[in-house]
Amino acid sequence: QVQLQESGGGSVQSGGSLRLSCAASGYTYTMAWFRQAPGKEREGVAGLARDGRVIYSDSVRGRFTISRGDAEDTMYLQMNSLKPEDTAMYYCAAGPTLCRREDAYKFWGQGTQVTVSS
């Protein structure tokens, strides 16, 4: 039903910015961003429900902003003040519940790499 495709990743210096996009082919209730660095567990970064509720991880709150496009078929993650600790593969996910747990999301994109150098 739902297909997701991330884009916008790349390499940036510490303190720089990137804007990730997730294109959705079907209707979604809640969309979220997760990330996973080599050797580390996957963690929730930000989530956005259709009623506008948002959640952020403590590590990105105040630096990252999750949003939807006007057509509701694209989700964005604006990442500012990037740190080397933000280096990871970033994944777009969709599911019925606004939740920090990855198993709440049924549909996943392939990921886009973000690398932040010091």
Side-chain angles (χ1 to χ4, degrees):
Q1 179 191 356
V2 177
Q3 292 185 331
L4 305 172
Q5 178 65 62
E6 304 94 335
S7 62
S11 298
V12 66
Q13 293 288 108
S14 180
S17 298
L18 287 172
R19 187 175 181 86
L20 306 184
S21 298
C22 176
S25 64
Y27 181 84
T28 59
Y29 291 89
T30 293
M31 299 182 73
W33 290 96
F34 288 78
R35 66 186 183 186
Q36 187 169 27
K40 299 181 65 177
E41 64 185 10
R42 188 171 297 182
E43 64 173 335
V45 176
L48 175 62
R50 293 194 64 85
D51 64 4
R53 290 178 295 133
V54 298
I55 54 173
Y56 294 99
S57 69
D58 291 340
S59 63
V60 308
R61 188 176 295 108
R63 298 188 296 121
F64 291 10
T65 303
I66 188 171
S67 63
R68 289 181 187 262
D70 291 341
E72 299 287 330
D73 61 353
T74 304
M75 179 180 65
Y76 303 101
L77 185 68
Q78 179 66 46
M79 305 185 295
N80 298 325
S81 301
L82 282 162
K83 305 174 181 179
E85 305 88 81
D86 297 317
T87 295
M89 184 73 74
Y90 283 71
Y91 298 92
C92 177
T97 304
L98 183 63
C99 183
R100 300 181 188 273
R101 295 173 54 192
E102 63 180 286
D103 60 7
Y105 299 91
K106 182 176 180 65
F107 305 100
W108 293 81
Q110 293 295 102
T112 185
Q113 179 68 40
V114 172
T115 302
V116 185
S117 61
S118 60

